[in-house]
């Protein structure tokens, strides 16, 4: 069930990313909403990944517990064999063994409890991060659009004019008058 939900969320994340890319340059609000939904789906996916990891750890812990149970049974058989072989078995050694087993079981339970605690609830989305991601998507869309623009090899160009350009009247006299006025002004300022 969780793996199906993982696949579903991965598809939803991809869909939201496509929506954000599609609306990135046209509808910024829709693109931001799509990115927010994508972030929520990514959080859910991370939680499912954590849950699956926890379940896997618990399955391994159960397997280890079963193995330990078998080992303990065998130790019991060995103890019985030793008891029959040695009638005067010391009870303190058995108590020490049981204390060791109890300590290991408590340690395994603490580890299991620590791993099974959900993490990451209540995290808010960073608007700057979302805007940066949207800008990146917009840039990708613009780059894509620029690459799709056709070449200019088939664009018709205008004809060259066949008449000559009109001649400009010389302004030399007017320029000389302006220079003389400028010199007079400079001389007066001194």
């Amino acid at each position: 069930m969780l793996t199906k939900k993982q696949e579903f969320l991965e598809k939803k994340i991809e869909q939201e990313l496509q929506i954000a890319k599609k609306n990135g340059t046209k509808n910024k609000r829709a693109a931001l909403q799509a990115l927010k939904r994508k972030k929520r789906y990514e959080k859910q996916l991370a939680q499912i990944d954590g849950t699956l990891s926890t379940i896997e750890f618990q399955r391994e812990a159960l397997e280890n517990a079963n193995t330990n149970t078998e080992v303990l049974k065998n130790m019991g058989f060995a103890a019985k064999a030793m008891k029959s072989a040695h009638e005067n078995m010391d009870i303190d050694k058995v108590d020490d063994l049981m204390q060791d087993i109890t300590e290991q079981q408590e340690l395994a339970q603490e580890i299991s409890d620590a791993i099974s605690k959900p993490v990451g609830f209540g995290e808010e989305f960073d608007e700057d991060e979302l805007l940066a991601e949207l800008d990146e998507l917009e840039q990708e869309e613009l780059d894509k659009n620029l690459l799709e623009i056709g070449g200019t090899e088939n664009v018709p160009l205008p004809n060259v004019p066949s008449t000559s350009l009109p001649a400009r009247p010389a302004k030399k006299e007017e320029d000389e008058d302006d220079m003389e006025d400028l010199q007079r002004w400079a001389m007066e300022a001194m």
Side-chain angles (χ1 to χ4, degrees):
M1 179 178 96
L2 289 177
T3 53
K4 285 183 181 180
K5 188 160 185 179
Q6 269 183 320
E7 292 170 5
F8 171 77
L9 287 173
E10 287 170 354
K11 288 178 185 174
K12 292 298 278 183
I13 288 169
E14 185 59 33
Q15 287 173 354
E16 296 301 334
L17 184 60
Q18 293 305 320
I19 290 170
K21 283 182 179 180
K22 182 176 130 188
N23 291 315
T25 56
K26 300 171 189 114
N27 187 348
K28 207 167 202 168
R29 186 186 314 190
L32 283 173
Q33 288 299 321
L35 288 175
K36 285 181 181 179
R37 286 190 300 271
K38 178 182 147 281
K39 290 288 185 185
R40 283 196 306 269
Y41 292 143
E42 287 173 342
K43 272 188 168 185
Q44 289 178 16
L45 186 60
Q47 289 172 346
I48 288 172
D49 289 342
T51 301
L52 286 173
S53 294
T54 300
I55 289 170
E56 180 67 21
F57 176 78
Q58 288 175 338
R59 184 188 60 79
E60 290 172 2
L62 287 172
E63 288 175 357
N64 289 338
N66 286 335
T67 302
N68 289 341
T69 301
E70 289 300 316
V71 168
L72 187 60
K73 283 181 186 177
N74 290 330
M75 290 173 70
F77 294 140
K80 286 179 183 177
M82 288 175 64
K83 185 175 184 180
S84 65
H86 303 96
E87 289 288 323
N88 298 324
M89 181 107 179
D90 186 16
I91 191 68
D92 291 333
K93 291 181 182 179
V94 174
D95 285 338
D96 290 343
L97 176 65
M98 294 309 292
Q99 284 178 348
D100 289 344
I101 291 171
T102 302
E103 287 174 7
Q104 292 305 313
Q105 287 175 339
E106 289 172 355
L107 179 62
Q109 183 61 43
E110 288 175 9
I111 291 171
S112 179
D113 288 345
I115 290 176
S116 65
K117 289 181 185 175
V119 293
F121 289 129
E123 289 182 89
E124 294 299 318
F125 299 112
D126 183 7
E127 285 293 323
D128 292 335
E129 183 181 317
L130 288 173
L131 287 172
E133 188 172 346
L134 178 61
D135 288 342
E136 186 178 313
L137 291 173
E138 288 175 353
Q139 187 61 45
E140 285 179 18
E141 185 69 23
L142 289 174
D143 291 346
K144 180 182 171 189
N145 289 342
L146 287 175
L147 291 175
E148 290 175 359
I149 294 176
T152 58
E153 57 275 348
N154 294 330
V155 176
L157 298 175
N159 293 330
V160 177
S162 58
T163 60
S164 60
L165 295 174
R168 291 179 65 178
K171 288 188 170 184
K172 190 171 188 177
E173 292 176 13
E174 190 178 308
D175 288 341
E176 288 176 7
D177 290 340
D178 288 343
M179 269 311 260
E180 289 174 9
D181 288 341
L182 185 59
Q183 284 177 344
R184 261 190 249 115
W185 176 82
M187 295 304 277
E188 290 173 5
M190 289 187 179

